[in-house]
Amino acid sequence: MKFSLGAIQYYWPKEVVQSFYQDVAESTVDIVYLGETVCSKRTELSLKDYMDIAHQLREAGKQVCLSTMTLLEAPALVRDMARYVDNGEFMIEANEIGAIQLAHEKSLPFVVGSPINCYNQHTLNLFLKQGMQRWVMPVELSREWLENLLEHDSIQTVRDQFGVEVFAFGHMPLAWSARCFTARAEDRHKDDCQLCCINYPKGREVKSQDGVQIFLLNGIQTQSGHRYNLVNDLPSMQGLVDVVRLSPEPEGTLKWLQAFQDNLDGGQPQPLADTDTNGYWRSLAGMVKAL
Amino acid sequence: MELLCPAGSMPALKAAIDNGADAVYVGLKDDTNARHFAGLNLGDSGLKDAVSYAHRHQRKIHVAINTFAHPDGWERWKNAVDLAVECGVDVLIIADLSLLAYVHDQYPHMEVHLSVQASATNPAAIDYYRQFGVSRVVLPRVLSMAQVRSLARMCDMPLEVFAFGSLCIMAEGRCYLSSYMTGESPNTAGACSPAAYVRWEEKDDGVLESRLNDVVIDRFAEDENAGYPTLCKGRFHVGDDLYHVLEEPTSLNTLELLPELHKEGIASLKIEGRQRSPAYVSSITKVWRQAIDAVMENPNDFLVKDEWNRVLGSLSEGSQTTLGAYHRKWK
């Protein structure tokens, strides 16, 4: 089983990002995804900056993928996405079907990101024929769904040709909108957002009127209010999952990476926080924490 | 410019057709469509009757098979396609790639439209779906009018846009908020904020509280209109503020954009609301028929009638309407 770090979902200052990846280079992670996947207005790091980090990580022995934007509104953004696809060195993680189109046109391999709607064996096979190397399962799916999907003969015969990756730690991306909710929380429109999301390195908490932390606002993205944490579910991934993904949080991400790696066979389980959840993997509502 | 109206039942379908819809879209009675609600949609014989009624009146019927096939439920989605084709419907509205491929392979002459649930917002995404013979794309409700315009001018693909009805504020087909709270989402179960998880409670102080899977979505004072607890339209806290964090209860209304949509050659205007009553469908269809006729007749001199807005406003969520993402300031 390998471990990966997803693209940073929040808007962090450039030096924070660079320092984070210096630590990542020294960590035991196998695969690192880089890039801005949430909002095209976030320009602390350019594609060149990401490429510089990608080279450093590759030299440190990591496999690097470039992650593309999830929601493209203006047609001009397709050009930006094409620059990621055409980087010439690193495989892309397609978070939008248009990125698959661009990669497929050029016969480039790709990772199918979790926001792409791949829910069954037929769709998975189609992507495989078009160049998919790895599939990140949609966050809302369960172990049972994954098992049902993989057990089909049409998948079993090609199972050695692609990897299965599961989002297993961090605040889950649940929705993308035209509207910027972080700007709205400051009573501003998106056009006048003043990039205020940089002030919320772990998103802004949304609480229900009875005090449940239900969501996090991260610009145009809405995240789970609770942190997904499958550290104690790793044994149930054996034989199904090839790559376990952790999503970078402002603090403790690499400590958790270690905790995950230490608990691969269930020998060193971790206490879950009150605000941790594992519901989706257990075929329950995403916000539920099953013991 | 086609007027495409919703029908969750035979009476609603008749209401749409009798009041001037050019085409009607329906779903089947299972989780193969994104309005999988109890008591809604058509069974096998219902679909045959619906096709026969629509064709007798020279109108078209579209069938939405726009959820994503489950790994152990492929037959159900395949059967839905087979049934719709066998009944002689005019168009299939599909989101799942596996179903698009199946239809393209089995029924290459069938007209297929890409569902809004496929979330295609840009030229590269639209290009991807051409391999399946898709002949129209339904745009997600995340684009501004300027973005719709540039897409219409860049692509030769006919486009369909939402003109009126309940407003999804997230990119459709990529929203898991409902399964996060209840375990059921539009993609997996054809439902958002499903009724089985809704609970209402009247408090001693007269406050009416709505909950979804036990989480408070809103509290209404006695003088407030209490709306259905769709989770993205609840009132929550951010910091010290209590407000509609994602969106107010409101409906999309694009009447004033009609001349622009007409000018850009938009193929079809879709009215949301398969879950609505025949009376609702009838009133909405009447207004939009008049409005579309007016803009087609005189595109340069089109004025929205107060009466139209009054009718639409009275049938809207929270009795208010918005231009949604079409208007940049909304974002």
Short mmCIF file of all heavy atoms in Angstrom, two decimals, chain A residues 65-125:
data_model
loop_
_atom_site.label_atom_id
_atom_site.label_comp_id
_atom_site.label_asym_id
_atom_site.label_seq_id
_atom_site.Cartn_x
_atom_site.Cartn_y
_atom_site.Cartn_z
N CYS A 65 2.28 14.31 -9.30
CA CYS A 65 1.22 14.52 -10.29
C CYS A 65 0.76 15.97 -10.16
O CYS A 65 0.77 16.53 -9.06
CB CYS A 65 0.02 13.64 -10.02
SG CYS A 65 0.34 11.89 -10.16
N LEU A 66 0.35 16.57 -11.27
CA LEU A 66 -0.21 17.91 -11.23
C LEU A 66 -1.73 17.82 -11.27
O LEU A 66 -2.29 17.18 -12.17
CB LEU A 66 0.30 18.74 -12.41
CG LEU A 66 1.80 19.03 -12.44
CD1 LEU A 66 2.14 19.92 -13.64
CD2 LEU A 66 2.28 19.69 -11.15
N SER A 67 -2.38 18.44 -10.29
CA SER A 67 -3.85 18.38 -10.20
C SER A 67 -4.47 19.56 -10.90
O SER A 67 -4.04 20.70 -10.71
CB SER A 67 -4.28 18.40 -8.73
OG SER A 67 -3.79 17.26 -8.07
N THR A 68 -5.51 19.31 -11.67
CA THR A 68 -6.14 20.40 -12.43
C THR A 68 -7.37 20.95 -11.68
O THR A 68 -7.88 20.34 -10.76
CB THR A 68 -6.59 19.93 -13.83
OG1 THR A 68 -7.66 18.98 -13.68
CG2 THR A 68 -5.44 19.27 -14.58
N MET A 69 -7.79 22.13 -12.13
CA MET A 69 -8.95 22.84 -11.55
C MET A 69 -10.22 21.97 -11.64
O MET A 69 -10.40 21.24 -12.60
CB MET A 69 -9.14 24.13 -12.34
CG MET A 69 -10.04 25.14 -11.71
SD MET A 69 -9.39 25.77 -10.17
CE MET A 69 -8.02 26.74 -10.73
N THR A 70 -11.07 22.11 -10.63
CA THR A 70 -12.26 21.26 -10.57
C THR A 70 -13.46 21.86 -11.31
O THR A 70 -14.18 21.16 -12.01
CB THR A 70 -12.65 21.01 -9.10
OG1 THR A 70 -11.50 20.52 -8.43
CG2 THR A 70 -13.77 20.00 -9.00
N LEU A 71 -13.68 23.16 -11.14
CA LEU A 71 -14.82 23.79 -11.80
C LEU A 71 -14.31 24.91 -12.70
O LEU A 71 -13.75 25.89 -12.21
CB LEU A 71 -15.79 24.35 -10.75
CG LEU A 71 -17.00 25.11 -11.29
CD1 LEU A 71 -17.87 24.23 -12.18
CD2 LEU A 71 -17.84 25.68 -10.15
N LEU A 72 -14.48 24.73 -14.01
CA LEU A 72 -14.05 25.76 -14.96
C LEU A 72 -15.28 26.51 -15.44
O LEU A 72 -16.18 25.91 -16.01
CB LEU A 72 -13.35 25.12 -16.16
CG LEU A 72 -11.87 24.76 -15.96
CD1 LEU A 72 -11.73 23.54 -15.09
CD2 LEU A 72 -11.22 24.53 -17.31
N GLU A 73 -15.28 27.81 -15.21
CA GLU A 73 -16.42 28.61 -15.68
C GLU A 73 -16.08 29.31 -16.99
O GLU A 73 -16.68 29.03 -18.00
CB GLU A 73 -16.83 29.62 -14.61
CG GLU A 73 -17.39 28.95 -13.36
CD GLU A 73 -17.70 29.96 -12.29
OE1 GLU A 73 -18.09 31.10 -12.64
OE2 GLU A 73 -17.55 29.64 -11.11
N ALA A 74 -15.13 30.22 -16.97
CA ALA A 74 -14.79 30.95 -18.19
C ALA A 74 -14.06 30.02 -19.16
O ALA A 74 -13.15 29.30 -18.75
CB ALA A 74 -13.91 32.14 -17.86
N PRO A 75 -14.45 30.03 -20.44
CA PRO A 75 -13.76 29.18 -21.42
C PRO A 75 -12.25 29.43 -21.44
O PRO A 75 -11.47 28.53 -21.73
CB PRO A 75 -14.41 29.58 -22.75
CG PRO A 75 -15.78 30.04 -22.37
CD PRO A 75 -15.62 30.70 -21.02
N ALA A 76 -11.83 30.65 -21.07
CA ALA A 76 -10.39 30.96 -21.09
C ALA A 76 -9.62 30.07 -20.11
O ALA A 76 -8.43 29.83 -20.29
CB ALA A 76 -10.18 32.43 -20.72
N LEU A 77 -10.29 29.58 -19.07
CA LEU A 77 -9.60 28.74 -18.09
C LEU A 77 -9.17 27.41 -18.68
O LEU A 77 -8.30 26.73 -18.14
CB LEU A 77 -10.49 28.51 -16.87
CG LEU A 77 -10.81 29.77 -16.04
CD1 LEU A 77 -11.77 29.45 -14.93
CD2 LEU A 77 -9.51 30.36 -15.47
N VAL A 78 -9.78 27.02 -19.80
CA VAL A 78 -9.36 25.78 -20.46
C VAL A 78 -7.91 25.91 -20.91
O VAL A 78 -7.15 24.95 -20.86
CB VAL A 78 -10.29 25.45 -21.66
CG1 VAL A 78 -9.79 24.24 -22.41
CG2 VAL A 78 -11.72 25.21 -21.17
N ARG A 79 -7.51 27.13 -21.32
CA ARG A 79 -6.11 27.35 -21.73
C ARG A 79 -5.16 27.11 -20.57
O ARG A 79 -4.11 26.51 -20.73
CB ARG A 79 -5.93 28.79 -22.25
CG ARG A 79 -6.43 28.99 -23.67
CD ARG A 79 -5.82 30.25 -24.29
NE ARG A 79 -6.22 31.46 -23.59
CZ ARG A 79 -7.36 32.11 -23.82
NH1 ARG A 79 -8.21 31.67 -24.73
NH2 ARG A 79 -7.66 33.21 -23.15
N ASP A 80 -5.55 27.60 -19.38
CA ASP A 80 -4.70 27.37 -18.20
C ASP A 80 -4.59 25.88 -17.91
O ASP A 80 -3.53 25.37 -17.58
CB ASP A 80 -5.28 28.09 -16.97
CG ASP A 80 -5.28 29.59 -17.15
OD1 ASP A 80 -4.50 30.07 -18.00
OD2 ASP A 80 -6.04 30.28 -16.45
N MET A 81 -5.72 25.20 -18.04
CA MET A 81 -5.73 23.75 -17.77
C MET A 81 -4.83 23.04 -18.78
O MET A 81 -4.10 22.11 -18.42
CB MET A 81 -7.16 23.23 -17.84
CG MET A 81 -7.31 21.78 -17.42
SD MET A 81 -9.03 21.35 -17.13
CE MET A 81 -9.68 21.33 -18.80
N ALA A 82 -4.86 23.50 -20.03
CA ALA A 82 -4.03 22.87 -21.07
C ALA A 82 -2.55 23.01 -20.74
O ALA A 82 -1.75 22.12 -21.03
CB ALA A 82 -4.34 23.50 -22.43
N ARG A 83 -2.18 24.11 -20.09
CA ARG A 83 -0.76 24.29 -19.72
C ARG A 83 -0.35 23.24 -18.68
O ARG A 83 0.77 22.76 -18.70
CB ARG A 83 -0.52 25.71 -19.19
CG ARG A 83 -0.62 26.76 -20.31
CD ARG A 83 -0.60 28.18 -19.75
NE ARG A 83 0.59 28.45 -18.96
CZ ARG A 83 0.58 29.05 -17.77
NH1 ARG A 83 -0.55 29.44 -17.24
NH2 ARG A 83 1.70 29.27 -17.14
N TYR A 84 -1.24 22.92 -17.76
CA TYR A 84 -0.96 21.84 -16.80
C TYR A 84 -0.79 20.51 -17.55
O TYR A 84 0.15 19.77 -17.32
CB TYR A 84 -2.12 21.70 -15.80
CG TYR A 84 -1.98 22.55 -14.55
CD1 TYR A 84 -2.11 23.93 -14.63
CD2 TYR A 84 -1.75 21.97 -13.32
CE1 TYR A 84 -2.00 24.71 -13.49
CE2 TYR A 84 -1.63 22.75 -12.17
CZ TYR A 84 -1.76 24.12 -12.26
OH TYR A 84 -1.64 24.88 -11.13
N VAL A 85 -1.75 20.25 -18.45
CA VAL A 85 -1.73 18.97 -19.17
C VAL A 85 -0.46 18.84 -20.00
O VAL A 85 0.15 17.78 -20.08
CB VAL A 85 -2.99 18.85 -20.07
CG1 VAL A 85 -2.94 17.58 -20.91
CG2 VAL A 85 -4.26 18.87 -19.21
N ASP A 86 -0.03 19.97 -20.59
CA ASP A 86 1.14 19.97 -21.49
C ASP A 86 2.46 20.18 -20.77
O ASP A 86 3.43 20.59 -21.39
CB ASP A 86 0.98 21.10 -22.54
CG ASP A 86 -0.20 20.84 -23.45
OD1 ASP A 86 -0.61 19.67 -23.58
OD2 ASP A 86 -0.73 21.82 -24.03
N ASN A 87 2.53 19.94 -19.46
CA ASN A 87 3.75 20.26 -18.72
C ASN A 87 4.96 19.44 -19.19
O ASN A 87 6.10 19.81 -18.95
CB ASN A 87 3.52 20.09 -17.21
CG ASN A 87 3.46 18.62 -16.80
OD1 ASN A 87 4.50 17.97 -16.62
ND2 ASN A 87 2.27 18.07 -16.66
N GLY A 88 4.70 18.33 -19.85
CA GLY A 88 5.80 17.58 -20.47
C GLY A 88 6.54 16.62 -19.56
O GLY A 88 7.37 15.85 -20.02
N GLU A 89 6.27 16.66 -18.25
CA GLU A 89 7.04 15.81 -17.34
C GLU A 89 6.20 14.96 -16.40
O GLU A 89 6.54 13.83 -16.11
CB GLU A 89 7.96 16.69 -16.48
CG GLU A 89 9.01 17.42 -17.25
CD GLU A 89 9.87 18.24 -16.31
OE1 GLU A 89 10.64 17.66 -15.54
OE2 GLU A 89 9.74 19.49 -16.34
N PHE A 90 5.12 15.56 -15.90
CA PHE A 90 4.39 14.89 -14.83
C PHE A 90 2.97 14.53 -15.27
O PHE A 90 2.33 15.27 -16.02
CB PHE A 90 4.32 15.80 -13.59
CG PHE A 90 5.67 16.20 -13.08
CD1 PHE A 90 6.21 17.46 -13.36
CD2 PHE A 90 6.43 15.30 -12.35
CE1 PHE A 90 7.47 17.82 -12.91
CE2 PHE A 90 7.70 15.66 -11.88
CZ PHE A 90 8.21 16.91 -12.17
N MET A 91 2.51 13.40 -14.75
CA MET A 91 1.14 12.97 -15.05
C MET A 91 0.16 13.94 -14.38
O MET A 91 0.46 14.51 -13.33
CB MET A 91 0.93 11.55 -14.49
CG MET A 91 -0.39 10.94 -14.87
SD MET A 91 -0.34 9.13 -14.76
CE MET A 91 -0.10 8.87 -12.99
N ILE A 92 -1.00 14.13 -14.97
CA ILE A 92 -1.99 15.01 -14.35
C ILE A 92 -3.05 14.20 -13.62
O ILE A 92 -3.33 13.04 -13.95
CB ILE A 92 -2.70 15.93 -15.37
CG1 ILE A 92 -3.41 15.10 -16.45
CG2 ILE A 92 -1.76 16.94 -15.96
CD1 ILE A 92 -4.67 15.74 -16.95
N GLU A 93 -3.61 14.84 -12.60
CA GLU A 93 -4.83 14.34 -11.97
C GLU A 93 -5.96 15.19 -12.54
O GLU A 93 -6.02 16.40 -12.30
CB GLU A 93 -4.78 14.49 -10.45
CG GLU A 93 -6.08 14.03 -9.79
CD GLU A 93 -6.18 14.38 -8.31
OE1 GLU A 93 -5.70 15.46 -7.90
OE2 GLU A 93 -6.73 13.56 -7.56
N ALA A 94 -6.85 14.57 -13.30
CA ALA A 94 -7.96 15.29 -13.93
C ALA A 94 -9.10 15.41 -12.93
O ALA A 94 -9.62 14.41 -12.46
CB ALA A 94 -8.42 14.56 -15.18
N ASN A 95 -9.47 16.64 -12.61
CA ASN A 95 -10.58 16.84 -11.68
C ASN A 95 -11.85 17.29 -12.39
O ASN A 95 -12.84 17.64 -11.76
CB ASN A 95 -10.18 17.86 -10.61
CG ASN A 95 -9.19 17.26 -9.62
OD1 ASN A 95 -9.39 16.15 -9.15
ND2 ASN A 95 -8.11 17.97 -9.35
N GLU A 96 -11.80 17.24 -13.71
CA GLU A 96 -12.87 17.76 -14.54
C GLU A 96 -12.76 17.00 -15.85
O GLU A 96 -11.63 16.71 -16.29
CB GLU A 96 -12.58 19.25 -14.74
CG GLU A 96 -13.74 20.15 -14.99
CD GLU A 96 -14.12 20.18 -16.44
OE1 GLU A 96 -13.26 19.93 -17.28
OE2 GLU A 96 -15.30 20.43 -16.71
N ILE A 97 -13.87 16.67 -16.47
CA ILE A 97 -13.81 15.79 -17.64
C ILE A 97 -13.05 16.45 -18.81
O ILE A 97 -12.45 15.76 -19.63
CB ILE A 97 -15.25 15.37 -18.06
CG1 ILE A 97 -15.24 14.04 -18.80
CG2 ILE A 97 -15.93 16.43 -18.90
CD1 ILE A 97 -15.27 12.83 -17.96
N GLY A 98 -13.05 17.79 -18.85
CA GLY A 98 -12.33 18.48 -19.91
C GLY A 98 -10.83 18.17 -19.88
O GLY A 98 -10.17 18.12 -20.92
N ALA A 99 -10.29 17.95 -18.67
CA ALA A 99 -8.86 17.62 -18.56
C ALA A 99 -8.59 16.24 -19.17
O ALA A 99 -7.55 16.02 -19.78
CB ALA A 99 -8.41 17.66 -17.11
N ILE A 100 -9.54 15.33 -19.01
CA ILE A 100 -9.39 14.01 -19.63
C ILE A 100 -9.43 14.15 -21.15
O ILE A 100 -8.66 13.51 -21.87
CB ILE A 100 -10.49 13.05 -19.13
CG1 ILE A 100 -10.28 12.78 -17.63
CG2 ILE A 100 -10.50 11.74 -19.93
CD1 ILE A 100 -11.24 11.80 -17.02
N GLN A 101 -10.31 15.03 -21.62
CA GLN A 101 -10.38 15.27 -23.06
C GLN A 101 -9.02 15.74 -23.59
O GLN A 101 -8.51 15.23 -24.57
CB GLN A 101 -11.47 16.32 -23.34
CG GLN A 101 -11.52 16.86 -24.76
CD GLN A 101 -11.92 15.82 -25.78
OE1 GLN A 101 -12.44 14.75 -25.43
NE2 GLN A 101 -11.69 16.10 -27.05
N LEU A 102 -8.42 16.73 -22.89
CA LEU A 102 -7.14 17.28 -23.35
C LEU A 102 -6.03 16.23 -23.28
O LEU A 102 -5.19 16.13 -24.19
CB LEU A 102 -6.75 18.50 -22.51
CG LEU A 102 -7.71 19.70 -22.56
CD1 LEU A 102 -7.18 20.85 -21.72
CD2 LEU A 102 -7.93 20.17 -23.99
N ALA A 103 -6.02 15.43 -22.21
CA ALA A 103 -4.98 14.40 -22.08
C ALA A 103 -5.17 13.32 -23.14
O ALA A 103 -4.21 12.88 -23.79
CB ALA A 103 -5.04 13.79 -20.68
N HIS A 104 -6.41 12.91 -23.33
CA HIS A 104 -6.72 11.85 -24.29
C HIS A 104 -6.35 12.26 -25.72
O HIS A 104 -5.81 11.47 -26.48
CB HIS A 104 -8.22 11.51 -24.18
CG HIS A 104 -8.64 10.37 -25.04
ND1 HIS A 104 -7.93 9.19 -25.12
CD2 HIS A 104 -9.68 10.23 -25.87
CE1 HIS A 104 -8.54 8.37 -25.96
NE2 HIS A 104 -9.59 8.97 -26.44
N GLU A 105 -6.63 13.53 -26.04
CA GLU A 105 -6.29 14.04 -27.38
C GLU A 105 -4.80 13.87 -27.66
O GLU A 105 -4.39 13.69 -28.80
CB GLU A 105 -6.61 15.55 -27.47
CG GLU A 105 -8.05 15.87 -27.79
CD GLU A 105 -8.33 17.38 -27.68
OE1 GLU A 105 -7.38 18.16 -27.44
OE2 GLU A 105 -9.51 17.76 -27.84
N LYS A 106 -3.99 13.99 -26.59
CA LYS A 106 -2.53 13.91 -26.78
C LYS A 106 -1.97 12.58 -26.33
O LYS A 106 -0.75 12.45 -26.17
CB LYS A 106 -1.88 15.04 -26.00
CG LYS A 106 -2.41 16.38 -26.48
CD LYS A 106 -1.63 17.55 -25.99
CE LYS A 106 -2.09 18.77 -26.80
NZ LYS A 106 -1.56 20.00 -26.34
N SER A 107 -2.86 11.62 -26.11
CA SER A 107 -2.44 10.27 -25.68
C SER A 107 -1.58 10.32 -24.42
O SER A 107 -0.61 9.57 -24.30
CB SER A 107 -1.68 9.55 -26.80
OG SER A 107 -2.49 9.49 -27.94
N LEU A 108 -1.91 11.23 -23.50
CA LEU A 108 -1.18 11.31 -22.24
C LEU A 108 -1.92 10.53 -21.15
O LEU A 108 -3.15 10.52 -21.12
CB LEU A 108 -1.06 12.78 -21.81
CG LEU A 108 -0.20 13.68 -22.70
CD1 LEU A 108 -0.40 15.15 -22.33
CD2 LEU A 108 1.27 13.29 -22.56
N PRO A 109 -1.16 9.89 -20.25
CA PRO A 109 -1.80 9.16 -19.16
C PRO A 109 -2.37 10.14 -18.13
O PRO A 109 -1.95 11.29 -18.06
CB PRO A 109 -0.65 8.36 -18.55
CG PRO A 109 0.56 9.17 -18.85
CD PRO A 109 0.31 9.84 -20.17
N PHE A 110 -3.32 9.70 -17.34
CA PHE A 110 -3.92 10.59 -16.33
C PHE A 110 -4.46 9.80 -15.15
O PHE A 110 -4.69 8.60 -15.24
CB PHE A 110 -5.05 11.43 -16.96
CG PHE A 110 -6.12 10.61 -17.64
CD1 PHE A 110 -7.20 10.10 -16.92
CD2 PHE A 110 -6.03 10.33 -19.00
CE1 PHE A 110 -8.17 9.35 -17.55
CE2 PHE A 110 -7.01 9.57 -19.64
CZ PHE A 110 -8.08 9.07 -18.92
N VAL A 111 -4.61 10.55 -14.03
CA VAL A 111 -5.31 10.02 -12.86
C VAL A 111 -6.72 10.60 -12.91
O VAL A 111 -6.90 11.79 -13.20
CB VAL A 111 -4.62 10.49 -11.55
CG1 VAL A 111 -5.40 10.03 -10.33
CG2 VAL A 111 -3.18 9.97 -11.50
N VAL A 112 -7.73 9.79 -12.66
CA VAL A 112 -9.11 10.28 -12.58
C VAL A 112 -9.35 10.75 -11.15
O VAL A 112 -9.33 9.95 -10.21
CB VAL A 112 -10.12 9.18 -12.97
CG1 VAL A 112 -11.55 9.63 -12.68
CG2 VAL A 112 -9.97 8.82 -14.44
N GLY A 113 -9.55 12.06 -10.97
CA GLY A 113 -9.73 12.62 -9.63
C GLY A 113 -11.10 12.31 -9.03
O GLY A 113 -12.03 11.95 -9.76
N SER A 114 -11.21 12.51 -7.72
CA SER A 114 -12.46 12.14 -7.04
C SER A 114 -13.69 12.95 -7.47
O SER A 114 -14.81 12.45 -7.37
CB SER A 114 -12.29 12.21 -5.51
OG SER A 114 -12.12 13.54 -5.10
N PRO A 115 -13.55 14.20 -7.99
CA PRO A 115 -14.77 14.90 -8.40
C PRO A 115 -15.31 14.44 -9.76
O PRO A 115 -16.32 14.97 -10.23
CB PRO A 115 -14.34 16.37 -8.49
CG PRO A 115 -13.01 16.45 -7.85
CD PRO A 115 -12.39 15.11 -8.01
N ILE A 116 -14.65 13.49 -10.39
CA ILE A 116 -15.16 12.98 -11.68
C ILE A 116 -16.11 11.83 -11.40
O ILE A 116 -15.85 10.98 -10.55
CB ILE A 116 -13.98 12.56 -12.57
CG1 ILE A 116 -13.28 13.84 -13.02
CG2 ILE A 116 -14.46 11.71 -13.75
CD1 ILE A 116 -12.43 13.74 -14.21
N ASN A 117 -17.23 11.84 -12.12
CA ASN A 117 -18.27 10.88 -11.80
C ASN A 117 -18.00 9.50 -12.39
O ASN A 117 -18.45 9.17 -13.48
CB ASN A 117 -19.63 11.40 -12.28
CG ASN A 117 -20.12 12.50 -11.37
OD1 ASN A 117 -19.80 12.52 -10.18
ND2 ASN A 117 -20.88 13.43 -11.92
N CYS A 118 -17.27 8.71 -11.64
CA CYS A 118 -17.00 7.33 -12.02
C CYS A 118 -17.59 6.45 -10.93
O CYS A 118 -17.01 6.31 -9.86
CB CYS A 118 -15.49 7.11 -12.15
SG CYS A 118 -15.08 5.42 -12.61
N TYR A 119 -18.76 5.90 -11.20
CA TYR A 119 -19.50 5.16 -10.17
C TYR A 119 -19.62 3.67 -10.46
O TYR A 119 -20.17 2.94 -9.65
CB TYR A 119 -20.92 5.75 -10.00
CG TYR A 119 -20.94 7.03 -9.20
CD1 TYR A 119 -20.67 8.25 -9.82
CD2 TYR A 119 -21.21 7.02 -7.84
CE1 TYR A 119 -20.67 9.43 -9.09
CE2 TYR A 119 -21.21 8.20 -7.10
CZ TYR A 119 -20.95 9.39 -7.73
OH TYR A 119 -20.95 10.56 -7.01
N ASN A 120 -19.17 3.22 -11.62
CA ASN A 120 -19.37 1.80 -11.93
C ASN A 120 -18.26 1.25 -12.82
O ASN A 120 -17.44 2.01 -13.36
CB ASN A 120 -20.75 1.57 -12.57
CG ASN A 120 -20.94 2.45 -13.80
OD1 ASN A 120 -20.17 2.37 -14.74
ND2 ASN A 120 -21.96 3.31 -13.77
N GLN A 121 -18.27 -0.07 -12.99
CA GLN A 121 -17.22 -0.78 -13.71
C GLN A 121 -17.12 -0.37 -15.18
O GLN A 121 -16.02 -0.32 -15.74
CB GLN A 121 -17.42 -2.30 -13.58
CG GLN A 121 -18.74 -2.85 -14.09
CD GLN A 121 -19.90 -2.69 -13.09
OE1 GLN A 121 -19.78 -1.98 -12.10
NE2 GLN A 121 -21.02 -3.36 -13.37
N HIS A 122 -18.27 -0.05 -15.79
CA HIS A 122 -18.25 0.30 -17.21
C HIS A 122 -17.53 1.63 -17.44
O HIS A 122 -16.75 1.79 -18.37
CB HIS A 122 -19.67 0.37 -17.76
CG HIS A 122 -20.42 -0.92 -17.59
ND1 HIS A 122 -20.06 -2.07 -18.24
CD2 HIS A 122 -21.46 -1.24 -16.80
CE1 HIS A 122 -20.88 -3.05 -17.88
NE2 HIS A 122 -21.73 -2.57 -17.00
N THR A 123 -17.83 2.60 -16.58
CA THR A 123 -17.18 3.91 -16.70
C THR A 123 -15.68 3.78 -16.42
O THR A 123 -14.85 4.36 -17.12
CB THR A 123 -17.84 4.92 -15.74
OG1 THR A 123 -19.22 5.02 -16.07
CG2 THR A 123 -17.21 6.29 -15.86
N LEU A 124 -15.35 2.98 -15.41
CA LEU A 124 -13.94 2.79 -15.07
C LEU A 124 -13.18 2.17 -16.25
O LEU A 124 -12.08 2.61 -16.60
CB LEU A 124 -13.83 1.90 -13.83
CG LEU A 124 -12.46 1.84 -13.17
CD1 LEU A 124 -12.06 3.20 -12.63
CD2 LEU A 124 -12.44 0.82 -12.04
N ASN A 125 -13.79 1.18 -16.88
CA ASN A 125 -13.16 0.54 -18.04
C ASN A 125 -12.96 1.51 -19.21
O ASN A 125 -11.96 1.45 -19.91
CB ASN A 125 -14.01 -0.65 -18.50
CG ASN A 125 -13.36 -1.96 -18.13
OD1 ASN A 125 -12.15 -2.10 -18.26
ND2 ASN A 125 -14.13 -2.91 -17.63
#
